[in-house]
């Protein structure tokens, strides 16, 4: 018999910071319960924010508004933005979690892999390509964004409100990528096998 300890899960601990979880209030417990009901687990990003319920609430509200609320952008387009931005930033957590979402929403595991590695390798339609080119430019070189970039988005059918949404999703994931990198946030292992 081996006396070695069993290997630890890749998603434990959730983050590298010792931040004890707060006592969950009823709305947060209900939110976690809804996650368990819908996807079978609580995403580690939510558990990571669980040390401070105000921060958790702000994060969850912004995420839900940007990614789930009505928009001229499809849910798939928003997830594709999340992955393209996270690919530039090499965010392990977001590439794993949102790469799974792209696979699931598109029904195409190849697209999910292409998005994680290099969205330019994917056979995207002109609208998707323009959206992701804009999101990546805004991530890498925000000081170079100009009217010509917005005009390219309008040319493929985006409204000014849609352009705002592209920018907001891009900005949110740039922030989230940096929090995930700073804390060594680990994606739930369940994401790795989803929609393959």
């Amino acid at each position: 018999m081996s006396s070695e300890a069993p290997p630890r899960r890749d998603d434990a601990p959730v983050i590298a910071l010792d931040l004890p979880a707060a006592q969950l209030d009823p709305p947060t417990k209900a939110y976690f319960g809804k996650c368990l009901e819908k996807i079978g687990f609580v995403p580690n990003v939510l558990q990571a924010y669980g040390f401070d319920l105000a921060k958790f609430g702000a994060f969850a509200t912004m995420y839900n508004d940007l990614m789930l609320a009505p928009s001229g952008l499809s849910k798939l387009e928003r997830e594709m933005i999340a992955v393209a931005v996270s690919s530039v930033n090499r965010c392990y957590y977001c590439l794993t979690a949102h790469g799974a979402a792209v696979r699931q929403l598109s029904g195409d595991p190849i697209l999910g892999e292409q998005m994680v590695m290099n969205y330019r390798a994917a056979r995207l339609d002109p609208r998707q390509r323009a959206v992701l080119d804009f999101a990546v430019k805004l991530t890498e070189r925000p000081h170079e964004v100009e009217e010509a970039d917005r005009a390219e988005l309008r040319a493929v059918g985006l409204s000014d409100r849609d352009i705002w949404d592209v920018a907001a999703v891009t900005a949110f994931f740039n922030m989230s990528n940096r929090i995930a990198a700073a804390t060594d946030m680990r994606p739930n292992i369940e994401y790795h096998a989803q929609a393959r």
Side-chain angles (χ1 to χ4, degrees), residues 104-139:
Q104 188 169 37
L105 289 169
S106 69
D108 183 353
I110 294 172
L111 177 63
E113 294 302 313
Q114 290 169 328
M115 291 297 307
V116 165
M117 293 178 201
N118 176 5
Y119 76 93
R120 292 172 187 93
R123 292 192 171 120
L124 304 174
D125 66 37
R127 175 186 163 107
Q128 292 168 334
R129 180 61 186 253
V131 165
L132 298 180
D133 285 346
F134 183 85
V136 166
K137 183 174 184 177
L138 186 58
T139 297

Side-chain angles (χ1 to χ4, degrees), residues 137-167:
K137 183 174 184 177
L138 186 58
T139 297
E140 294 177 331
R141 304 179 318 279
H143 59 284
E144 292 181 13
V145 172
E146 56 191 1
E147 184 56 32
D149 300 300
R150 291 181 289 274
E152 285 181 27
L153 293 174
R154 291 184 190 108
V156 293
L158 273 72
S159 68
D160 281 6
R161 172 56 199 267
D162 298 337
I163 295 169
W164 175 278
D165 288 354
V166 171

Side-chain angles (χ1 to χ4, degrees), residues 1-188:
M1 256 193 184
S2 172
S3 61
E4 292 180 34
R8 128 180 131 168
R9 285 174 53 126
D10 187 60
D11 61 352
V14 171
I15 59 172
L17 304 179
D18 186 17
L19 300 171
Q23 182 72 29
L24 299 184
D25 58 11
T28 307
K29 282 183 186 175
Y31 195 97
F32 281 16
K34 187 63 89 177
C35 291
L36 287 169
E37 177 187 314
K38 285 190 163 203
I39 62 172
F41 60 93
V42 177
N44 282 349
V45 66
L46 300 180
Q47 293 187 57
Y49 274 91
F51 77 96
D52 183 315
L53 295 186
K55 286 179 180 26
F56 170 85
F59 175 86
T61 298
M62 180 66 89
Y63 176 87
N64 289 336
D65 179 64
L66 293 174
M67 301 302 286
L68 304 174
S71 170
L73 304 177
S74 70
K75 288 181 182 178
L76 176 59
E77 287 172 326
R78 289 178 268 182
E79 290 292 351
M80 291 171 77
I81 293 167
V83 176
V85 168
S86 299
S87 182
V88 169
N89 293 324
R90 299 179 187 170
C91 179
Y92 174 50
Y93 185 97
C94 291
L95 286 171
T96 304
H98 297 281
V102 168
R103 291 191 305 270
Q104 188 169 37
L105 289 169
S106 69
D108 183 353
I110 294 172
L111 177 63
E113 294 302 313
Q114 290 169 328
M115 291 297 307
V116 165
M117 293 178 201
N118 176 5
Y119 76 93
R120 292 172 187 93
R123 292 192 171 120
L124 304 174
D125 66 37
R127 175 186 163 107
Q128 292 168 334
R129 180 61 186 253
V131 165
L132 298 180
D133 285 346
F134 183 85
V136 166
K137 183 174 184 177
L138 186 58
T139 297
E140 294 177 331
R141 304 179 318 279
H143 59 284
E144 292 181 13
V145 172
E146 56 191 1
E147 184 56 32
D149 300 300
R150 291 181 289 274
E152 285 181 27
L153 293 174
R154 291 184 190 108
V156 293
L158 273 72
S159 68
D160 281 6
R161 172 56 199 267
D162 298 337
I163 295 169
W164 175 278
D165 288 354
V166 171
V169 172
T170 299
F172 180 82
F173 279 95
N174 273 291
M175 184 270 305
S176 294
N177 292 168
R178 282 152 180 79
I179 294 290
T183 64
D184 189 27
M185 192 178 295
R186 310 303 289 188
N188 304 68

